[in-house]
Amino acid sequence: MIKNIVFDLGGVLIDYKPERYLEHIGYSKEEIKLFTKIIFYGEEWDEYNSSKYSILETKQRLIQRYLEHINKINEIFNNIDFKYILFEIKDTAKYLKELNDRGYNIYILSDSSIESHNHNKQFNFFNYIKGGVYSFEIGTTKPNENNYKTLLEKYKLIPEETIFIDDKKCNVEVANNFGIHGIRFTVLDKLKKELEQYI
């Protein structure tokens, strides 16, 4: 019997669009493509999400690596505003509320920095969250097994009673290894059909 449903944030409940921020501050298409790749999808940003480095340290590391872009990197970090990067995916958020109303315990397992987490808490769906484990708290990002183990232990969840929803195949596979029912998110209609098979 399923009692717990665990959601990833980015790509499921939160639309992660750093391109919109770079467009907002006036970057060209070529610059947007470049800096989205080297900053917001780079190794340094991943380590920032796990709190290995602060946002200031992350900026300095990127400058050391891409010294030729020092002015742009400074500009991007000095003006960064998560309201131009993170957006609620409203139809999935509405479905989360529906699942909560049906009596399921809703949790979050997410790779988030403290800054993005503080921004995300404004979204209404957080009112229906029973708990969560975030990378900035534990120092590792998915698909590290520590993230899943911490969630199960922190809330005393039984894997067979738990479903995990994530948009990345590798993250779902590790959940399955723990005995959790993993579902890869692509579109909401497909998620509903797959989830209803369990609940």
Side-chain angles (χ1 to χ4, degrees):
M1 180 180 177
I2 297 299
K3 298 180 180 179
N4 317 300
I5 302 176
V6 183
F7 281 84
D8 172 40
L9 286 181
V12 180
L13 288 162
I14 300 290
D15 198 5
Y16 176 62
K17 292 292 184 183
E19 300 93 338
R20 295 183 190 177
Y21 166 60
L22 297 175
E23 183 179 11
H24 170 74
I25 60 175
Y27 281 27
S28 67
K29 289 182 179 180
E30 291 76 17
E31 289 172 326
I32 290 171
K33 183 178 180 180
L34 171 64
F35 291 109
T36 296
K37 179 181 179 181
I38 69 174
I39 294 179
F40 295 102
Y41 286 98
E43 175 186 344
E44 290 81 5
W45 193 262
D46 191 49
E47 292 177 334
Y48 157 64
N49 276 335
S50 66
S51 286
K52 186 173 182 179
Y53 299 99
S54 69
I55 196 164
L56 179 60
E57 289 169 328
T58 301
K59 181 183 78 169
Q60 294 302 326
R61 293 180 71 228
L62 283 161
I63 287 172
Q64 289 175 3
R65 185 171 181 180
Y66 304 104
L67 189 58
E68 69 274 22
H69 298 302
I70 182 171
N71 292 334
K72 292 292 187 181
I73 292 172
N74 272 318
E75 182 178 48
I76 290 167
F77 275 84
N78 292 346
N79 295 285
I80 199 163
D81 190 336
F82 284 92
K83 74 180 181 183
Y84 296 108
I85 298 175
L86 302 167
F87 306 85
E88 182 183 46
I89 301 176
K90 295 187 181 299
D91 57 351
T92 317
K94 184 178 179 181
Y95 184 53
L96 181 151
K97 179 184 182 301
E98 178 186 325
L99 293 170
N100 174 78
D101 292 345
R102 290 167 62 180
Y104 295 100
N105 303 313
I106 308 296
Y107 299 92
I108 299 294
L109 184 62
S110 174
D111 295 341
S112 302
S113 67
I114 183 64
E115 287 85 1
S116 62
H117 179 64
N118 287 337
H119 168 80
N120 291 337
K121 286 190 296 185
Q122 69 176 297
F123 296 127
N124 288 335
F125 69 78
F126 266 89
N127 294 324
Y128 311 107
I129 302 300
K130 191 166 185 179
V133 169
Y134 304 91
S135 58
F136 73 87
E137 298 176 318
I138 61 174
T140 54
T141 55
K142 294 174 294 183
N144 191 301
E145 291 186 355
N146 180 55
N147 296 57
Y148 305 82
K149 183 179 178 182
T150 300
L151 178 76
L152 293 172
E153 292 179 350
K154 183 177 181 179
Y155 297 105
K156 297 180 172 56
L157 305 184
I158 298 172
E160 293 76 16
E161 296 177 349
T162 304
I163 288 175
F164 173 60
I165 300 161
D166 196 295
D167 62 319
K168 294 182 179 178
K169 182 180 178 181
C170 59
N171 294 341
V172 171
E173 288 174 344
V174 175
N176 289 333
N177 292 341
F178 274 88
I180 300 168
H181 305 283
I183 297 176
R184 186 180 180 187
F185 180 86
T186 52
V187 295
L188 182 58
D189 286 344
K190 186 172 183 289
L191 170 64
K192 288 181 176 181
K193 289 177 182 178
E194 293 185 49
L195 197 54
E196 292 298 334
Q197 294 177 7
Y198 292 101
I199 62 177

